[in-house]
Amino acid sequence: MLRSGLYWTVLALAATACASRPQATPQTVPTPAGPAAHHHMPDLPATAGPGFTAADVRFMQHMIGHHAQAVQMAALAPTNGASEAVVRLAQKIDISQRDEIDMMKRWLRERRQAVPDEAHSHAMMMPGMLTTQQLAHLGAARGREFDRLFLNLMTRHHQGALQMVRELFRAPGAGQEPDIFRFATDVDADQRDELVVMERLLHALQD
Amino acid sequence: MRDRTHRAIATLALAGAVQLAFASPAAVFAQQQDTIATLNDRRVNLRAGTGNTAGIAARGMRLVSYTPKPAQLDSASGLAFINSDLAFRGTTVYQGNFSGFSIWNVANPARPVELSTVVCATDQADPSIYGNLLFISAESPRSRTDCGMQGVQDGKDRMRGVRIYDVSNPRAPRLIKNVQTCRGSHTHTIVPHPTDRGVIYLYVGGSSNVRDSAEVPELACSTGAVAENPNTAEYRVDIIRVPLRNPEQAAVAGYARIFQGLPRPAGRGGVSLGDTATGRWATGPSGCHDLTSYPAYHLVAGSCGSYGILLDARNPEKPVVLDAKSDLNFSLWHTAVFSNDAKRVVFTDEWGGGTAPRCRTTDPFRLGGNTVLTIDNGKMTQHGYFKMPAAQTNTENCVSHNGGLVPVPGRDIMVQGWYQGGVNVFDFTDPARPVEIAYFDRGPVNADTLVVGGSWGAYYWNGYIYSSELSRGLDILELVPSEQLSRNEIEAARLARMDEYNPQMQPRITWPAAFPVVRSYLDQLVRNRGLPAARTSAIASALTRAERTRGTTRRTQLNVLAAQLDRDARRAADAARVTAMAAAVRDLARATR
């Protein structure tokens, strides 16, 4: 608790300090945060318990942040002139990942583990997540350009989620607890499916 | 390090800005919505409760018995002890559980008797029965070769694949073989050899992670895209061969790469975007959630990620893709059920994996429900959607799940579990407009928080509907007559007896020559005005008269009626049904002694 309180103070100060920094030149071609961009805020405390490991707990904590950004991205679709197909996809991602955030929080609470709050969720930087610039860029895009950016960035975002699932199952003893096994496997299946949908939509854009 | 901190901070700052600008995304999406979930339904606002204490709403069916879980599996601990699927043989029901399975004697459906319960961490323990062999799917990394509940520390103790039990003594099931696979078995499907009665195959469903190759060296499990690693354990369906006389020799015989060459949008110059050369992932399904075999037609319908795939399984070791359909509305193709004539197939979409609430007034109609496709010469055409219409709460996991046919002659009817959305029965005779005709639903397990429960699957089996309740136990239900399902239709369904039934291996339904079968067609012609009222009442009288006679007299009367029906068919609004009825009358005449 103390650790996290201190952290937030430092963060708040730093945020003020960099507010006046000039914005990076907007890129015309997005460079999504690839698998290399795997860094995030200092972890919340995570401990093993009956049937689950600390890696399981961390997976849930991290995925909450990952999901929170997907929800944020999805929210842009209806207002930024996205095509009907992209709005539908965004709606599906919005509903799916909101519910999953609730489920992950429930899982952590039931096991007396630290649950990331809103701010903490948004400050994480997990695989495939957008940088500030990318998010700003997406927020500024409209119509067809929004569709193109959204599909590209969300594709990377989903690939990042698949990477997190792979890493979970590689961690010793992790992914065995039935709820987390089911959830991680479902994230993999659902997001793979959405990757195919996005591939199709991107493709339609190119014609 | 400094750079990392800076990025994290910047993201935080922007996150706030975006949130301000889009304070209420759910409200924005509401305009796009396309929901059918109604609050005007008796299933809404039912009292919450565990076991059989929750409020119940039912129409067109009634609860015959409720049986709680066996004590060994009666533990509320997330998903660890939830019930899964069912399989049927004679008066025996096999019920899976994430931590084992139970065998029930249901000779008296009002009072099922537990014959045995096996505790064995397995996840998800979908069962199939074939003679005296019970097959159980094991997918989870916690599943052990020795069935222990302590989890796996050394990968060599891990069992991911299909367990085979000898259940010739249902009171003492005997584990005879653990068939290991690279990704475990979420589900499995029996595909009998078309000519050799001594061999069956299991198509393994699931798309879980590939295990470490050191766990089972002989499987040589590896990962990656097919183009880069032709032996990858991903992007394939494993096929297990089971010699029935020596089931302990069951083993993986090979696999089918049915996802190669699925219809993809051709890019500029015909280059697929899934191509690794473009830097994009070769995505697409990495496995099937499950497959439904229909041996009478040598067909298999695979529900595989974003595709529904129709296979010709004449050679079970080398199934051939006949067609594949994708639908941007569908989230995850989950399960298929063929119509009895194999001219239609219902595919389900398990949006959210079954643990999430997806039947709220805010959830779209075309996601998390069913779609009906017609099959013509091996090609599928998509028609309407169907979703359980009663709005459910945030604490009820609800989405389309498992089911099977209700054997009513002349109609395509399916019964299905919707988790805490309950059990319902719908008619998909018109593939464009499926209609709900009966339901049974309880209130949430818990009113305040989502405790996963509800019907995993509901199946019609020799006169009753069996529903495996995830958290509560086993429900046995019975259809009762309504405007949409007559007494005769229910009686005809009861006459369609089966010896063995695995929901993923569809038996072809046949009806005996019987008056209720003929009268089912007649009731349907009255209901849909397929014949003028004067004719339907004359036919009803003719049937009553014939039933009062016997022997040659009855035979003669029935043959006269059949000839009249042939003439009726020429001018009937529903000629096909009249013709089917004439055939049923002739069957009855032939069967008359």
Side-chain angles (χ1 to χ4, degrees):
Chain A
M1 265 305 146
L2 180 67
R3 186 181 134 197
S4 124
L6 253 176
Y7 182 78
W8 283 110
T9 316
V10 176
L11 237 183
L13 286 170
T16 323
C18 72
S20 58
R21 202 177 276 256
Q23 282 291 308
T25 319
Q27 301 154 295
T28 45
V29 178
T31 354
H38 188 168
H39 40 85
H40 46 79
M41 291 172 64
D43 282 320
L44 291 170
T47 52
F52 61 92
T53 66
D56 290 331
V57 174
R58 247 176 246 120
F59 173 81
M60 290 303 214
Q61 290 168 337
H62 291 170
M63 195 59 93
I64 287 174
H66 199 266
H67 272 40
Q69 192 183 59
V71 169
Q72 223 181 328
M73 292 165 71
L76 296 168
T79 53
N80 284 27
S83 62
E84 195 200 330
V86 169
V87 171
R88 271 176 187 269
L89 171 71
Q91 181 189 19
K92 181 171 135 195
I93 291 172
D94 177 79
I95 299 174
S96 299
Q97 302 209 8
R98 272 171 198 277
D99 285 339
E100 288 172 6
I101 290 172
D102 289 347
M103 191 282 291
M104 289 185 274
K105 288 183 172 172
R106 210 160 50 232
W107 189 93
L108 289 168
R109 274 198 302 271
E110 283 166 4
R111 286 158 189 80
R112 301 179 192 286
Q113 300 290 325
V115 180
D117 58 18
E118 191 85 348
H120 199 274
S121 304
H122 286 301
M124 290 183 191
M125 202 61 197
M126 302 309 301
M129 282 180 74
L130 279 60
T131 61
T132 322
Q133 288 81 4
Q134 287 169 333
L135 208 45
H137 202 190
L138 181 65
R142 292 289 180 277
R144 203 180 162 83
E145 176 59 12
F146 176 84
D147 280 4
R148 196 182 65 82
L149 260 181
F150 179 85
L151 294 169
N152 272 300
L153 294 170
M154 193 60 92
T155 294
R156 284 303 180 123
H157 200 271
H158 276 38
Q159 288 172 350
L162 301 196
Q163 186 187 335
M164 289 166 71
V165 170
R166 274 199 304 278
E167 285 171 6
L168 169 74
F169 286 122
R170 257 187 235 132
Q176 295 197 37
E177 194 273 332
D179 291 63
I180 202 163
F181 169 67
R182 188 73 268 131
F183 173 63
T185 304
D186 286 348
V187 163
D188 186 88
D190 292 352
Q191 300 208 11
R192 260 175 208 276
D193 179 65
E194 284 167 2
L195 282 167
V196 176
V197 170
M198 291 192 281
E199 183 187 314
R200 291 177 145 228
L201 296 178
L202 262 174
H203 192 261
L205 273 179
Q206 285 186 358
D207 287 335
Chain B
M1 190 65 211
R2 206 169 65 194
D3 178 53
R4 289 180 185 188
T5 315
H6 170 69
R7 285 173 82 163
I9 292 158
T11 308
L12 175 69
L14 190 98
V18 171
Q19 272 189 325
L20 276 180
F22 306 104
S24 181
V28 179
F29 279 116
Q31 296 158 8
Q32 314 291 333
Q33 221 172 77
D34 178 17
T35 183
I36 53 146
T38 177
L39 294 166
N40 183 21
D41 191 291
R42 285 174 49 225
R43 284 167 281 188
V44 173
N45 283 331
L46 294 172
R47 184 181 67 250
T50 55
N52 200 25
T53 64
I56 287 178
R59 181 166 70 81
M61 61 170 102
R62 71 174 192 93
L63 184 64
V64 173
S65 67
Y66 158 75
T67 310
K69 285 181 184 177
Q72 303 97 301
L73 301 173
D74 192 14
S75 168
S77 167
L79 302 181
F81 291 92
I82 59 169
N83 285 323
S84 60
D85 223 340
L86 301 173
F88 306 86
R89 183 162 196 258
T91 54
T92 309
V93 172
Y94 304 85
Q95 183 175 32
N97 181 286
F98 274 36
S99 292
F101 63 88
S102 298
I103 304 181
W104 302 95
N105 180 317
V106 294
N108 177 6
R111 225 173 57 81
V113 177
E114 179 193 345
L115 297 176
S116 58
T117 289
V118 170
V119 176
C120 179
T122 290
D123 301 27
Q124 58 183 14
D126 271 6
S128 289
I129 185 76
Y130 201 88
N132 284 321
L133 297 178
L134 177 68
F135 301 93
I136 297 281
S137 276
E139 185 182 38
S140 165
R142 79 169 170 137
S143 165
R144 293 177 58 93
T145 51
D146 61 5
C147 280
M149 297 288 285
Q150 69 271 41
V152 173
Q153 286 74 43
D154 180 346
K156 294 215 162 37
D157 297 329
R158 186 166 280 143
M159 164 49 205
R160 301 180 71 198
V162 178
R163 300 187 199 275
I164 306 178
Y165 288 86
D166 178 338
V167 289
S168 45
N169 177 1
R171 293 181 188 277
R174 195 165 57 85
L175 179 65
I176 52 175
K177 173 83 175 186
N178 285 324
V179 184
Q180 300 270 13
T181 66
C182 286
R183 288 191 292 173
S185 162
H186 187 61
T187 61
H188 65 268
T189 305
I190 297 177
V191 182
H193 193 289
T195 50
D196 185 347
R197 293 171 65 88
V199 173
I200 61 170
Y201 294 89
L202 305 178
Y203 284 12
V204 180
S207 56
S208 183
N209 65 305
V210 177
R211 70 201 305 170
D212 190 306
S213 61
E215 290 182 3
V216 188
E218 61 271 29
L219 288 176
C221 302
S222 62
T223 60
V226 181
E228 287 140 20
N229 174 12
N231 297 318
T232 178
E234 297 178 280
Y235 310 102
R236 73 185 199 195
V237 173
D238 286 340
I239 301 174
I240 295 170
R241 184 176 184 275
V242 185
L244 294 171
R245 274 176 291 277
N246 305 96
E248 68 287 347
Q249 289 171 15
V252 176
Y255 50 79
R257 292 239 184 257
I258 57 173
F259 312 123
Q260 301 308 111
L262 285 182
R264 305 181 82 84
R268 278 187 184 149
V271 179
S272 162
L273 279 181
D275 195 327
T276 46
T278 63
R280 216 177 286 287
W281 270 28
T283 52
S286 76
C288 298
H289 175 276
D290 65 46
L291 304 104
T292 300
S293 66
Y294 196 175
Y297 290 87
H298 303 292
L299 289 174
V300 171
S303 302
C304 318
S306 40
Y307 290 90
I309 302 177
L310 188 66
L311 302 168
D312 178 331
R314 243 168 269 267
N315 178 353
E317 292 195 26
K318 295 199 181 342
V320 176
V321 175
L322 295 173
D323 198 9
K325 280 279 173 287
S326 187
D327 173 7
L328 293 184
N329 284 313
F330 253 38
S331 178
L332 196 76
W333 295 63
H334 180 279
T335 299
V337 175
F338 288 100
S339 65
N340 199 44
D341 61 5
K343 288 181 177 167
R344 288 159 175 45
V345 59
V346 175
F347 275 100
T348 68
D349 169 21
E350 195 190 30
W351 179 31
T355 54
R358 290 286 191 267
C359 305
R360 299 160 297 190
T361 54
T362 47
D363 293 319
F365 165 53
R366 291 177 180 80
L367 278 164
N370 305 336
T371 190
V372 186
L373 288 79
T374 47
I375 302 174
D376 185 17
N377 264 327
K379 297 294 167 202
M380 298 188 287
T381 308
Q382 191 179 1
H383 298 272
Y385 293 88
F386 176 77
K387 192 168 177 180
M388 190 284 300
Q392 304 289 300
T393 63
N394 236 339
T395 66
E396 287 166 287
N397 54 308
C398 174
V399 74
S400 169
H401 211 227
N402 295 352
L405 295 183
V406 178
V408 172
R411 296 172 73 179
D412 294 320
I413 296 180
M414 180 170 156
V415 59
Q416 185 178 15
W418 295 80
Y419 291 107
Q420 294 203 56
V423 173
N424 78 354
V425 178
F426 66 96
D427 180 317
F428 62 100
T429 312
D430 178 351
R433 274 172 293 277
V435 198
E436 184 176 71
I437 58 176
Y439 62 71
F440 171 85
D441 185 29
R442 286 196 182 90
V445 177
N446 188 303
D448 305 316
T449 185
L450 197 159
V451 173
V452 171
S455 175
W456 179 279
Y459 307 101
Y460 188 91
W461 171 246
N462 292 343
Y464 295 87
I465 289 167
Y466 293 78
S467 167
S468 179
E469 227 287 354
L470 276 74
S471 75
R472 291 170 169 123
L474 180 67
D475 287 317
I476 303 181
L477 302 143
E478 185 174 48
L479 293 166
V480 295
S482 68
E483 276 178 23
Q484 287 148 303
L485 196 65
S486 70
R487 190 171 297 282
N488 290 315
E489 289 174 304
I490 292 171
E491 186 50 33
R494 199 178 280 278
L495 294 173
R497 306 306 282 189
M498 288 188 257
D499 300 327
E500 202 171 73
Y501 176 31
N502 295 300
Q504 280 179 228
M505 181 180 76
Q506 252 182 264
R508 181 159 55 181
I509 299 158
T510 54
W511 290 269
F515 279 94
V517 175
V518 174
R519 289 189 174 114
S520 291
Y521 290 114
L522 184 61
D523 290 347
Q524 291 157 17
L525 288 164
V526 170
R527 196 183 290 123
N528 74 359
R529 299 189 178 85
L531 264 184
R535 283 302 301 143
T536 51
S537 47
I539 294 164
S541 306
L543 285 170
T544 309
R545 280 196 303 277
E547 199 172 16
R548 283 200 200 110
T549 62
R550 40 160 89 190
T552 316
T553 316
R554 180 188 279 187
R555 201 156 54 230
T556 308
Q557 288 190 12
L558 289 171
N559 280 325
V560 168
L561 175 59
Q564 283 168 352
L565 290 170
D566 288 343
R567 287 192 293 278
D568 284 331
R570 285 182 217 137
R571 274 174 297 178
D574 187 353
R577 200 171 303 277
V578 179
T579 304
M581 185 178 173
V585 172
R586 287 201 170 88
D587 283 349
L588 195 51
R590 264 193 299 277
T592 301
R593 295 281 172 263

